[in-house]
Each structure stands twice: as C-alpha cells, then as structure tokens.
Amino acid sequence: MGVMRIGHVSLKVMDMEAAVRHYEQVLGMKTTMVDKAGNVYLKCWDEWDRYSLVLTPSDSAGMNHVAFKVRDDSDLEMLQQRLEKHGISTALLPEGTLPSTGRMLQFQLPSGHDVRLYAMKEYVGTDVGITNPDPWPDDIRGAGAHWLDHALLMCELNPADGINTVEENTRVFTECLGFFVTEQICVGPGGEVRAACWLSVSNTPHDIAFVGGPKSGLHHLAFFLDSWHDVLKAADVMAKKQVKIDVAPTRHGITRGETIYFFDPSGNRNETFAGLGYLAQPDRPVTTWTEDKLWNGIFYHTGEAVPSFTDVYT
Ligand code: M3P
Ligand code: FE
C-alpha cells in the first residue's frame, strides 16, 4: 500500500543530442521511446519499467518533476485525501498524460517542486530477463548503472524569515506519503533548524533528500552502482568521455554512500552512488549530523567545505 519507490525524474536539457549521448554512453542507459514532442525516455539495464528518466528539450536546465510509483491504483485517491487534508492542492492527470504511464496524482511541494505519483507504467523487463538470468547483460556500456537511486532537491531555507521548506517537505513526505527520516543535518542555536533531511520509503538509506539553500532547485539525480570498484570504473568512463567531474570518487558520512558527482552537458548534476550503506528500517533511530560536523557528513574523509557543491545547482 502507498508509495513503493522513486519512479522517474523528468529533466530539462538544452542540447538533446548531447544529453542522450551522455545518459547512454556515460551512465549506460538505453533510449526506449521518443514522443512526438521530442521528449526522450530512457531506462537502466536492471530496471523493468519503460523509463526512469525523461529528457525534455528546453532553453534551461533543471527538473520538471520527480515521480514515485505507488502499489495500487486506488492508493492515488487515498494519498490525494491525505495531501488535501494537509493543505496541499492536487490534480489527477488522466492515463496517457505521459506515454506508457497510468493516471498520475500531481501536486506541488512547499519548496515548489512538482511531484507525480502513479501506479502503472508499461513493463518491458530488464536486460537479463527473469528466467535463469545472467548477473549482467553482454552489451553493458559506460558506468552500467543499475537503476535510478534517488534525487536530492534543494529547498528554500531562510530561517531569519521563518522559511524552512526542508521541514515542510519532510512533513508532507512523512505525514502523507509514508516516508521515514533516516538522517538529518541540524544547525543554528541548539540545532533547532533542520537544514537537510534524507528520507526512505523502501529499505535504501534514501529515496529522496531535501537540502536547504537560498532557492529551490535540483541538486542531483543519482544512479546505483554495485561497488566501490564500479565507482572507480565509472570515473574512468567519465575521464574517457571528458565529462565534467564535480567531486571525484569519495565517501559520504551521511548514508555511507560511495560517490562521484558530475554534470550532464546541460549542467544538471548527476551522482553515481554505490553500496547500500545500510538496510534502512522504518523503526531505525534518526541519525543527526551537527553543524560543526556537517562537511564530514557530506564528504567523510576530508570533512572540508566545498562551497561550489552546495552553491551550484539547477
Ligand atoms: C548525497 C547522498 C549535500 C549532500 C549530499 C548527499 C547535497 O548526495 O547521496 O547521500 O549536501
Ligand atoms: Fe545523493
């Protein structure tokens, strides 16, 4: 019942050809569909639904919406009621609003991000199938990402004016959508301001995260890799393809993830994220990172501030 997992991200790109090349050759995704408007739909080899990424032609970068898959179609009415009771306006978009996708419940987060929930997306199968499957397909390319893992949204935070959309978004996700908080960054006197929050609805350390900033936007979308060695190889692929790397392979304190940050040709930040970190259980205690240790949370080894990492986003 309710939300199961992240389903897709719809992303604005300025040069479609370069973007498709990037997501195919660097991440290893495959194009599964192109619609009449020129939007391109892609999936990773280990995903079974038709797409996890939609690229839309635009004159700027950034995220159009993030979508989560719910278990049953009737969950959409149940979640609609909860959201409306929480004071969030919603709309039910008819089947086919996105191709190969059932009806969608649409709403806007307090941070302004557009969210969609859906129960049905066309099943096309993974690249290794479901009968006596090989552990990986023969035609693996680039980083060979398994699946879309999570998105991190920058959310307007201005404690002096009483604005904290990290907090407000977190309440929507925990009180209406069944997510639980795994980790948080608390800042200010007495750690009163929750400046960032990592949330799960499955058993990975996060399916979505909210980080406070001067304006709302997309910080990154992340793709799952198996191991630290795969992270190293992904960085090799990026060097070969002359991808702009933002942060070379390292480890997060938060979530314990092994990571690389890099940019697609439009400047949207991507992450390749390896290691389950830990199995997230809904009854786990919340891990807190304090203001003096927040950079150890972000980059565990150096613990040093990298201002461009938090200041630059789409
Ligand atoms: C992650 C992660 C920021 C922290 C990012 C952490 C933007 O991306 O996957 O745990 O401060
Ligand atoms: Fe991340």
Side-chain angles (χ1 to χ4, degrees):
M1 288 280 278
V3 179
M4 291 192 293
R5 57 180 161 83
I6 194 166
H8 67 256
V9 168
S10 174
L11 202 59
K12 291 187 271 187
V13 298
M14 295 182 286
D15 178 342
M16 184 58 78
E17 213 177 297
V20 170
R21 209 179 312 123
H22 172 85
Y23 288 98
E24 285 187 350
Q25 295 184 8
V26 179
L27 277 311
M29 301 181 87
K30 280 186 182 163
T31 296
T32 56
M33 186 166 47
V34 181
D35 69 19
K36 284 193 195 106
N39 303 309
V40 179
Y41 300 75
L42 302 102
K43 75 183 267 300
C44 300
W45 70 263
D46 214 4
E47 292 172 322
W48 48 89
D49 284 347
R50 183 78 181 238
Y51 62 91
S52 60
L53 180 66
V54 189
L55 302 176
T56 73
S58 176
D59 52 14
S60 62
M63 187 180 85
N64 297 306
H65 68 258
V66 56
F68 296 90
K69 192 174 188 185
V70 304
R71 184 122 201 160
D72 298 308
D73 193 64
S74 58
D75 290 342
L76 298 179
E77 269 84 18
M78 184 264 289
L79 295 169
Q80 180 172 37
Q81 274 178 19
R82 284 201 210 159
L83 288 161
E84 294 276 350
K85 218 167 141 197
H86 195 87
I88 306 258
S89 313
T90 62
L92 270 168
L93 309 178
E95 174 162 8
T97 302
L98 282 174
S100 300
T101 309
R103 64 197 185 117
M104 293 186 288
L105 182 65
Q106 175 188 31
F107 61 95
Q108 222 179 50
L109 284 173
S111 57
H113 297 93
D114 186 6
V115 179
R116 312 276 175 99
L117 306 177
Y118 66 91
M120 194 289 284
K121 192 181 276 175
E122 186 192 351
Y123 173 86
V124 294
T126 74
D127 284 11
V128 291
I130 48 170
T131 307
N132 310 323
D134 293 315
W136 42 271
D138 285 340
D139 61 348
I140 213 151
R141 274 192 306 188
H146 283 254
W147 51 74
L148 175 69
D149 188 83
H150 65 266
L152 191 147
L153 309 183
M154 293 299 293
C155 302
E156 190 185 351
L157 172 68
N158 185 348
D161 292 341
I163 297 169
N164 186 347
T165 64
V166 171
E167 190 63 47
E168 288 182 57
N169 283 4
T170 299
R171 284 189 48 214
V172 174
F173 271 70
T174 55
E175 292 172 24
C176 306
L177 301 180
F179 284 62
F180 56 98
V181 175
T182 54
E183 310 208 20
Q184 59 189 3
I185 296 177
C186 294
V187 303
E192 267 174 16
V193 177
R194 184 143 68 165
C197 214
W198 281 255
L199 298 100
S200 179
V201 73
S202 56
N203 43 33
T204 84
H206 62 320
D207 295 295
I208 187 93
F210 306 122
V211 174
K215 63 176 174 57
S216 292
L218 172 70
H219 189 274
H220 65 266
L221 60 161
F223 296 88
F224 187 83
L225 301 178
D226 265 338
S227 69
W228 175 239
H229 191 70
D230 292 330
V231 172
L232 178 72
K233 282 210 146 173
D236 295 343
V237 170
M238 290 169 208
K240 276 188 180 181
K241 304 274 180 207
Q242 287 157 20
V243 171
K244 178 151 176 49
I245 292 184
D246 182 30
V247 179
T250 185
R251 181 203 276 282
H252 292 304
I254 298 162
T255 74
R256 302 182 189 148
E258 297 148 12
T259 180
I260 312 172
Y261 291 99
F262 52 103
F263 293 103
D264 78 6
S266 300
N268 293 303
R269 190 184 274 98
N270 294 167
E271 178 182 21
T272 44
F273 181 93
L276 197 53
Y278 48 80
L279 196 64
Q281 306 282 6
D283 66 334
R284 80 187 297 282
V286 176
T287 298
T288 298
W289 295 84
T290 54
E291 190 161 3
D292 56 322
K293 291 286 179 192
L294 81 85
W295 281 100
N296 291 94
I298 296 173
F299 300 123
Y300 181 65
H301 300 143
T302 59
E304 274 170 21
V306 182
S308 63
F309 181 68
T310 40
D311 297 350
V312 177
Y313 54 94
T314 56

